[in-house]
Amino acid sequence: MVQGTPLFTSAALEALKNRYEAAGQGHVFKYFHELSDVAAAELFSQLSSIDIERCNKYYDRTAGEAAKAAAAARSADADRIEPLAPESYASTLGSASAEEISAWTAEGMELICANKVAVILLAGGQGTRLGAQGPKGCYDIGLPSHTSLFELQALRIRRLQQLSTRGRLEARIPWLVMTSGPTSEATHRMFEENEYFGLRKEDVFFFNQGVLPCFGNDGKVLLESAGRVAVAPDGNGGIYEALRRSGGLEWLRKRDVEHIHSYCVDNCLVRVADPTFIGYAALRGAECGALVVPKKAWNEPVGVICMRNGRHGVVEYSEISEEMAKMTRDGSDELAYNAGNICSHYYSLDFLRKRVPKIEARLEHHVARKKIKCVDLETGAQTTPDKPNGIKLERFVFDVFPYVDRMAILEVDRKDQFSPLKNAPGSGVDCPETSRADLIAQCIRFAEAAGATVKVPEGTDARFEISPLVSYAGEGLESLRGKTLAGNQLINDIEDVVTI
């Protein structure tokens, strides 16, 4: 029995039990009478916060009988998947002229100057796969500066603000940071301890990614323990509801923001609030946009943006045949399905505020079959399965693409804007070593484009870094022309460089 003074009324408890019973999920109360006051109150609070009827609908539509019926219908009328037509998007690698790119960049800078641009950072991931504790954004990829991913991105925001400020009109770029339950506290602490990396505290808005209950293969909600339902993050596509529920969209509206750049924390080359991308999308009157990079090879395991039944969408590499993946465009060696998705997106605020709420009810969840620790309802013991025993439901941030009426897709150079951090040190692919090497190589290109020579000591790896506060994308380095620079230095001040 629950001992002491309950923190909820018996009527409220009975009503909650009745809801769960009616939803076929009454088993979550099986051990309720054995819990302490505190544990009972916590479970009551958690169960009250879950819209169990809606979650049941998600399960049924995604993994239950309704999903099976939908799958059967789809098999009878297969999706029509086609590559993007070359004329449907622009490319900084060839199709766009220098004048066009310059115009897009100028437009983006004007919008930043007018305080019409904000950025959203998807930072809910942990550094577990990297062998690190805490949020992935706290990770140090081993640069000479030992700057974390969070700080790299903050410094780029500061540099853009400096470049966009005109006279007394100070440019300020609001930064919304989406965390998850496991990363929220540590992320807040990282920002506080580092004084928001030089940004104003009032320009940073934290909000939490949502969660959904985990289901067993039979559609029953799993209990993590006697007093807690097993839950999991609802995927990066949960950003839309989380922004709305947290007040983030209203915060942006009050600041008169109109254009938003959204990106993932694990890309050390991301051009935060990229003025070229922002300007390109804004001039096209886009609701939504995406940056893409050419695939490294036909079998690179990356999703590609293409057309599905006449609408934009992302097709995962596992969804297309080898024959389709190897297709090339007529008269060239370029892959037809070549628009690699890098999770760097543009939104108009109007789209997020007015259209997405109407779209969300139509978005399906995706099934992730996982090994989930849970209570065995027969024995009451917590089990650690050795094979997938349950389902996590999630949405992807690109699930809105098919509902976008005005889409803006811009192809950019991978070496300038995309170096993902996914794998543990030493793995050789998308790992700390490759991220560090890619960023250092970019800094060397910046210096060489300005007319300098970077001399790396023979037999050593380059340790050459230019702080984002010195240069956002290669600008401001004119004074390096004709100089030979030591290849093992950190440049924090353009007037203080080591030459050979």
Side-chain angles (χ1 to χ4, degrees):
M1 294 291 291
V2 178
Q3 302 296 316
T5 304
L7 300 179
F8 44 82
T9 67
S10 58
L13 176 60
E14 190 64 24
L16 190 62
K17 283 184 175 180
N18 288 340
R19 270 188 61 205
Y20 275 79
E21 287 287 353
Q25 304 287 2
H27 62 281
V28 296
F29 287 95
K30 180 170 183 175
Y31 305 103
F32 194 85
H33 65 287
E34 301 174 5
L35 301 175
S36 68
D37 285 353
V38 171
E42 289 176 349
L43 180 57
F44 180 88
S45 175
Q46 185 191 30
L47 293 174
S48 298
S49 70
I50 296 171
D51 186 339
I52 191 61
E53 295 83 5
R54 184 175 66 157
C55 291
N56 273 351
K57 289 179 181 177
Y58 290 163
Y59 173 85
D60 189 49
R61 192 168 64 182
T62 307
E65 293 304 316
K68 294 175 185 176
R74 281 197 300 269
S75 65
D77 183 19
D79 286 347
R80 188 177 77 256
I81 297 174
E82 300 169 299
L84 294 176
E87 65 274 10
S88 69
Y89 65 96
S91 174
T92 61
L93 298 176
S95 66
S97 67
E99 291 76 17
E100 287 176 310
I101 295 171
S102 179
W104 299 335
T105 304
E107 176 68 13
M109 294 298 282
E110 285 295 326
L111 291 170
I112 293 170
C113 176
N115 293 325
K116 298 296 183 182
V117 175
V119 289
I120 300 175
L121 166 60
L122 307 183
Q126 296 174 275
T128 310
R129 291 177 65 182
L130 305 174
Q133 299 297 317
K136 191 181 282 188
C138 297
Y139 195 79
D140 171 8
I141 61 174
L143 293 170
S145 63
H146 292 289
T147 304
S148 69
L149 293 171
F150 280 143
E151 186 170 5
L152 270 177
Q153 293 156 21
L155 296 181
R156 288 177 186 144
I157 291 173
R158 288 175 58 189
R159 175 63 176 170
L160 262 188
Q161 290 179 159
Q162 292 170 2
L163 292 171
S164 304
T165 293
R166 312 277 173 81
R168 295 185 179 181
L169 183 59
E170 181 185 12
R172 294 169 67 173
I173 302 173
W175 196 16
L176 297 90
V177 181
M178 185 174 83
T179 60
S180 62
T183 66
S184 179
E185 182 179 346
T187 299
H188 279 79
R189 186 167 60 250
M190 180 76 165
F191 275 68
E192 290 283 351
E193 290 175 353
N194 289 277
E195 297 180 332
Y196 287 75
F197 310 108
L199 295 168
R200 287 183 172 87
K201 182 176 181 178
E202 60 267 28
D203 289 341
V204 180
F205 184 98
F206 294 101
F207 66 106
N208 250 10
Q209 182 177 4
V211 296
L212 289 172
C214 299
F215 289 87
N217 293 322
D218 58 358
K220 297 296 185 183
V221 169
L222 297 177
L223 285 174
E224 178 184 298
S225 65
R228 182 165 181 79
V229 167
V231 298
D234 57 1
N236 57 22
I239 182 177
Y240 304 113
E241 184 174 358
L243 272 172
R244 190 169 60 253
R245 286 176 177 259
S246 67
L249 294 180
E250 182 63 14
W251 185 69
L252 291 175
R253 185 194 67 79
K254 290 179 178 178
R255 296 182 64 131
D256 292 325
V257 165
E258 296 176 1
H259 309 274
I260 297 163
H261 177 216
S262 171
Y263 66 96
C264 288
V265 72
D266 57 5
N267 178 11
C268 70
L269 295 182
V270 62
R271 291 188 178 175
V272 186
D274 181 358
T276 306
F277 181 34
I278 293 287
Y280 169 71
L283 287 171
R284 287 176 65 93
E287 297 178 315
C288 183
L291 289 182
V292 298
V293 297
K295 292 178 67 175
K296 290 180 179 178
W298 70 267
N299 58 350
E300 181 184 6
V302 62
V304 295
I305 297 181
C306 61
M307 305 302 291
R308 190 196 291 265
N309 298 324
R311 307 290 293 183
H312 287 97
V314 174
V315 176
E316 296 298 336
Y317 64 94
S318 57
E319 291 185 80
I320 59 176
S321 66
E322 180 176 330
E323 181 183 7
M324 289 177 68
K326 288 181 173 179
M327 279 176 54
T328 57
R329 296 196 184 278
D330 292 340
S332 78
D333 294 329
E334 181 189 356
L335 293 172
Y337 293 94
N338 201 37
N341 180 41
I342 63 173
C343 202
S344 189
H345 300 143
Y346 163 89
Y347 305 99
S348 72
L349 184 61
D350 274 352
F351 177 71
L352 292 179
R353 289 184 61 238
K354 299 175 182 179
R355 290 214 54 220
V356 168
K358 299 173 183 176
I359 292 169
E360 273 184 303
R362 302 162 66 186
L363 299 180
E364 294 189 6
H365 286 76
H366 306 271
V367 171
R369 299 190 181 276
K370 300 287 186 179
K371 293 181 284 187
I372 304 169
K373 291 182 180 179
C374 63
V375 173
D376 184 329
L377 295 177
E378 296 296 324
T379 65
Q382 188 178 58
T383 63
T384 302
D386 56 8
K387 60 182 180 180
N389 65 318
I391 290 170
K392 296 180 180 180
L393 300 178
E394 56 188 5
R395 282 174 173 162
F396 300 146
V397 69
F398 52 73
D399 287 339
V400 300
F401 286 4
Y403 303 95
V404 174
D405 291 331
R406 298 185 305 280
M407 188 78 177
I409 298 173
L410 181 63
E411 183 182 59
V412 295
D413 197 333
R414 178 190 291 258
K415 72 178 185 293
D416 287 331
Q417 300 208 41
F418 186 53
S419 180
L421 178 61
K422 304 291 185 184
N423 302 316
S427 60
V429 179
D430 297 344
C431 61
E433 292 87 352
T434 57
S435 290
R436 178 173 65 249
D438 288 345
L439 198 147
I440 287 173
Q442 183 182 69
C443 291
I444 292 174
R445 289 196 302 275
F446 286 167
E448 291 176 343
T453 300
V454 178
K455 187 73 172 177
V456 179
E458 189 175 345
T460 67
D461 292 330
R463 301 284 296 168
F464 184 82
E465 183 183 358
I466 300 173
S467 167
L469 280 180
V470 173
S471 184
Y472 173 86
E475 81 294 332
L477 304 178
E478 294 79 9
S479 63
L480 299 181
R481 179 175 298 278
K483 294 181 179 179
T484 300
L485 307 175
N488 56 351
Q489 65 176 304
L490 166 63
I491 299 177
N492 281 319
D493 184 341
I494 197 63
E495 301 302 325
D496 184 18
V497 299
V498 179
T499 60
I500 297 175

